[in-house]
Amino acid sequence: IFNPFLFNSFNRKKMNLKSERRGIHVDQSELLCKKGCGYYGNPAWQGFCSKCWREEYHKARQKQIQEDWELAERLQREEEEAYASSQSTQGAQSLTFSKFEEKKTNEKTRKVTTVKKFFTASSRTGAKKAEIQEAKAPSPSINRQASIETDRVSKEFIEFLKTYHKPGQDIYKQCKLFLDTMNHKRDLSIEEQSECAQDFYQNVAEKLQTRWKVAPEKVEKAMDQIEKYIMTRQYKYVFCPETTDDEKKDLAVQKRIRALHWVTPQMLCVPVNEEIPEVSDMVVKAITDIIEMDSKRVPRDKLACITKCSKHIFNAIKVTKNEPASADDFLPTLIYIVLKGNPPRLQSNIQYITRFCNPSRLMTGEDGYYFTNLCCAVAFIEKLDAQSLNLSQEDFDRFMTGQTSPKKQEPDSFSPDVCLGVKQMYKNLDLLSQLNERQERIVNEAKKLEKDLIDWTDGITKEVQDIVEKYPLEIKPKSQALAAIDSENVENDKLPPPLQPQVYAG
């Protein structure tokens, strides 16, 4: 009797075993916050969601501030005890030395007080607020000539706020105050600037819901416009700043993806058949969307590029398999798209979205799900090894070093529906492979010929030396030349006369 439950369970177990074998499977629970709040986590937040990460970050920061405060108090107490001890034991010293000790103690006390103020959380914030209140003139960055995009976004933001009437005016004032505050906090670390932005998002959302009684759907639209207005102005200051190692990570990921150019869809178990023209077009669109992410300024727009890319991937899988795609099919295909597209500044874009995007989008919804999968795909690429691709370590090392490459598909095995460009591409690859083999063979034969010539020259030289040693050359003195018969020579007169012919009568 056919039992569909057992059949589905068997298929699920089989799929899980196959996924574990290839090392690409990510369970749904692994995408959620490890604190168990139900929202999506993020590797950049050590597996927490944005809310839980901020709580953990605040706890760690408060603990560090408390420890620094206790250290400052202990240093001050030790200085005071040392000063009191020196006063009791050295009361009979001269007035000049007492003044010197008093001056030294005052200087140390001033240093300790400075340390305490430095580690006080409210001291720097209060100073910055005082500077903002005293500065009546707008900041230079606001007065600078705005770009076309910034000017357009500002006009759109003002037009949008007109529909909110009184709350819209307050929102605009809050945004202007936040931009002025951020302009005075350029010296803060990028994490602290991110924390300020997240606090601003949270405060404005709470005011929209509680004070101004705005509907939830209008709150979401307002937050999107606020994020667009603020981050368009702050983009060049907070995207890939020089104080971070984002650029270094970008180069490392780019180099890693280039080294993995030989990875084929079959190695990743990608359920996409690019021989189908419709699927091939979707793959190209997915690659275009993931590359286009770098051209956007607003975190929400970057997330939209990731979402469009992911939807193209799901459609490509659906067309190939004639059934809806699963999560186990999506992640390997996303890894393949990232390897094939090699998006520019990938880590910088991920960090920028993590730091300055509206947290509600990263914690829930399809944007958060697709973004979490992209982070998992990048983490997988960074840790990809031979076991993940079902290869031996020797083959993996040879592929990574470029000594050889996996066998390409033969052109004769293509279906007649494949476009001519793909066929020509594989023909060119085969031709290049043959030329490479011929070049290597010519180089090897040239080296062998050179060696043979050297050996032949050495052999001839040795044989000549042996012959010369065995038969040395002797030079005899020049002999006297013989005189010719017809020459005028006295010695010739002594010779008998030549024979004369005689005639006999018959």
Side-chain angles (χ1 to χ4, degrees):
I1 301 174
F2 177 74
N3 191 333
F5 176 78
L6 294 178
F7 181 78
N8 293 334
S9 177
F10 173 78
N11 286 341
R12 192 180 301 109
K13 290 182 180 179
K14 183 178 180 181
M15 183 181 298
N16 291 337
L17 290 175
K18 185 178 181 180
S19 301
E20 292 175 358
R21 179 175 57 85
R22 68 189 178 201
I24 308 178
H25 175 70
V26 174
D27 192 75
Q28 182 71 16
S29 60
E30 298 179 11
L31 302 179
L32 300 178
C33 176
K34 66 180 183 181
K35 200 172 182 179
C37 64
Y39 296 115
Y40 288 116
N42 193 313
W45 293 325
Q46 300 180 3
F48 293 102
C49 66
S50 62
K51 182 179 179 181
C52 297
W53 167 249
R54 292 182 64 196
E55 293 176 356
E56 295 294 329
Y57 178 76
H58 278 296
K59 289 180 182 178
R61 187 177 180 184
Q62 292 297 329
K63 182 179 178 181
Q64 184 65 34
I65 292 174
Q66 183 65 25
E67 292 177 355
D68 295 336
W69 178 266
E70 293 176 356
L71 176 62
E73 289 183 342
R74 182 170 59 83
L75 291 175
Q76 184 178 8
R77 187 169 55 253
E78 291 177 356
E79 290 291 338
E80 292 176 352
E81 292 176 355
Y83 174 73
S85 176
S86 63
Q87 288 293 328
S88 60
T89 57
Q90 301 178 3
Q93 291 183 349
S94 62
L95 182 61
T96 305
F97 186 74
S98 298
K99 290 183 178 180
F100 171 75
E101 285 291 330
E102 182 179 358
K103 183 178 180 181
K104 181 179 179 181
T105 304
N106 291 336
E107 185 178 355
K108 290 185 177 180
T109 305
R110 180 178 59 81
K111 291 181 179 180
V112 173
T113 306
T114 303
V115 173
K116 292 170 64 177
K117 289 182 179 180
F118 177 78
F119 289 114
T120 303
S122 60
S123 62
R124 180 170 53 188
T125 306
K128 294 296 181 181
K129 289 181 179 179
E131 292 178 1
I132 295 172
Q133 293 176 357
E134 293 176 1
K136 296 181 180 180
S139 60
S141 60
I142 300 299
N143 285 334
R144 71 182 185 275
Q145 184 178 2
S147 63
I148 298 177
E149 183 177 0
T150 303
D151 188 36
R152 178 180 57 80
V153 170
S154 300
K155 291 180 180 179
E156 291 177 356
F157 184 60
I158 294 174
E159 292 295 328
F160 172 79
L161 292 180
K162 288 181 180 180
T163 60
Y164 283 71
H165 305 292
K166 183 62 171 62
Q169 298 178 3
D170 295 337
I171 291 173
Y172 186 74
K173 292 179 181 178
Q174 293 289 332
C175 292
K176 295 289 289 184
L177 180 61
F178 173 76
L179 290 175
D180 290 337
T181 304
M182 293 297 292
N183 290 328
H184 288 84
K185 291 185 177 182
R186 298 286 180 231
D187 57 334
L188 297 182
S189 65
I190 193 64
E191 287 77 15
E192 292 174 327
Q193 296 185 45
S194 172
E195 185 180 358
C196 293
Q198 298 296 330
D199 290 337
F200 176 74
Y201 290 146
Q202 184 177 359
N203 294 333
V204 173
E206 290 178 355
K207 289 181 180 179
L208 287 171
Q209 294 175 356
T210 58
R211 180 185 299 181
W212 297 315
K213 306 299 180 181
V214 179
E217 60 274 6
K218 297 189 69 176
V219 171
E220 192 68 24
K221 293 181 179 178
M223 294 305 300
D224 290 341
Q225 292 296 326
I226 291 171
E227 176 190 314
K228 183 177 182 180
Y229 173 70
I230 290 175
M231 298 316 302
T232 301
R233 290 180 170 271
Q234 296 293 316
Y235 177 77
K236 73 176 186 178
Y237 301 112
V238 297
F239 181 82
C240 191
E242 297 179 354
T243 56
T244 63
D245 57 349
D246 292 348
E247 185 176 2
K248 182 179 179 181
K249 293 180 179 178
D250 290 336
L251 296 176
V253 172
Q254 191 176 52
K255 182 179 179 181
R256 176 70 172 175
I257 293 177
R258 287 177 178 175
L260 294 170
H261 68 279
W262 48 268
V263 177
T264 61
Q266 291 76 20
M267 294 179 180
L268 295 172
C269 299
V270 176
V272 170
N273 185 7
E274 295 186 65
E275 296 180 0
I276 303 175
E278 184 179 359
V279 175
S280 179
D281 293 340
M282 292 178 183
V283 170
V284 173
K285 291 179 180 179
I287 294 174
T288 304
D289 290 332
I290 198 68
I291 292 176
E292 188 181 1
M293 175 179 62
D294 186 61
S295 64
K296 304 298 181 181
R297 287 191 176 187
V298 185
R300 180 172 61 89
D301 294 341
K302 293 181 181 291
L303 277 179
C305 292
I306 298 174
T307 302
K308 289 192 296 182
C309 170
S310 302
K311 289 183 177 180
H312 286 310
I313 291 175
F314 273 108
N315 291 334
I317 297 174
K318 182 178 180 180
V319 172
T320 302
K321 300 179 65 176
N322 293 324
E323 62 182 14
S326 63
D328 292 335
D329 295 331
F330 169 69
L331 183 59
T333 311
L334 179 61
I335 294 172
Y336 173 67
I337 293 297
V338 174
L339 289 176
K340 197 170 182 179
N342 196 359
R345 299 192 291 187
L346 183 57
Q347 282 289 359
S348 293
N349 284 284
I350 291 177
Q351 293 296 330
Y352 176 69
I353 294 172
T354 303
R355 292 164 181 161
F356 297 101
C357 184
N358 185 5
S360 62
R361 286 193 170 276
L362 296 182
M363 294 166 60
T364 57
E366 60 180 6
D367 290 341
Y369 174 76
Y370 295 140
F371 178 71
T372 304
N373 275 273
L374 177 62
C375 296
C376 294
V378 175
F380 175 83
I381 291 173
E382 293 176 342
K383 300 178 181 179
L384 189 142
D385 54 7
Q387 185 178 3
S388 303
L389 301 176
N390 295 329
L391 296 174
S392 63
Q393 190 63 40
E394 293 77 8
D395 291 341
F396 182 82
D397 294 337
R398 286 191 292 110
F399 295 157
M400 289 295 293
T401 56
Q403 296 179 3
T404 184
S405 59
K407 186 178 180 181
K408 303 295 182 181
Q409 187 176 10
E410 297 296 334
D412 297 337
S413 61
F414 287 116
S415 63
D417 297 332
V418 178
C419 62
L420 297 177
V422 176
K423 294 181 179 180
Q424 187 64 36
M425 179 186 68
Y426 278 103
K427 289 181 180 179
N428 293 339
L429 289 175
D430 293 336
L431 181 60
L432 288 174
S433 178
Q434 295 175 8
L435 291 175
N436 186 28
E437 293 177 357
R438 290 178 57 186
Q439 181 70 16
E440 291 180 355
R441 185 167 62 253
I442 291 173
V443 171
N444 294 332
E445 292 178 355
K447 291 180 179 179
K448 182 180 178 182
L449 178 61
E450 181 181 7
K451 184 177 181 300
D452 293 341
L453 288 174
I454 294 174
D455 295 341
W456 178 79
T457 304
D458 295 339
I460 295 298
T461 304
K462 185 177 180 182
E463 291 181 2
V464 171
Q465 291 178 352
D466 293 341
I467 293 173
V468 170
E469 292 177 357
K470 187 175 182 180
Y471 304 101
L473 181 62
E474 296 180 0
I475 301 176
K476 297 181 178 181
K478 186 176 180 180
S479 60
Q480 189 174 3
L482 298 176
I485 298 177
D486 298 334
S487 63
E488 297 294 335
N489 196 336
V490 181
E491 295 180 356
N492 292 342
D493 297 338
K494 298 178 180 180
L495 295 176
L499 298 176
Q500 297 293 332
Q502 297 179 7
V503 180
Y504 294 93

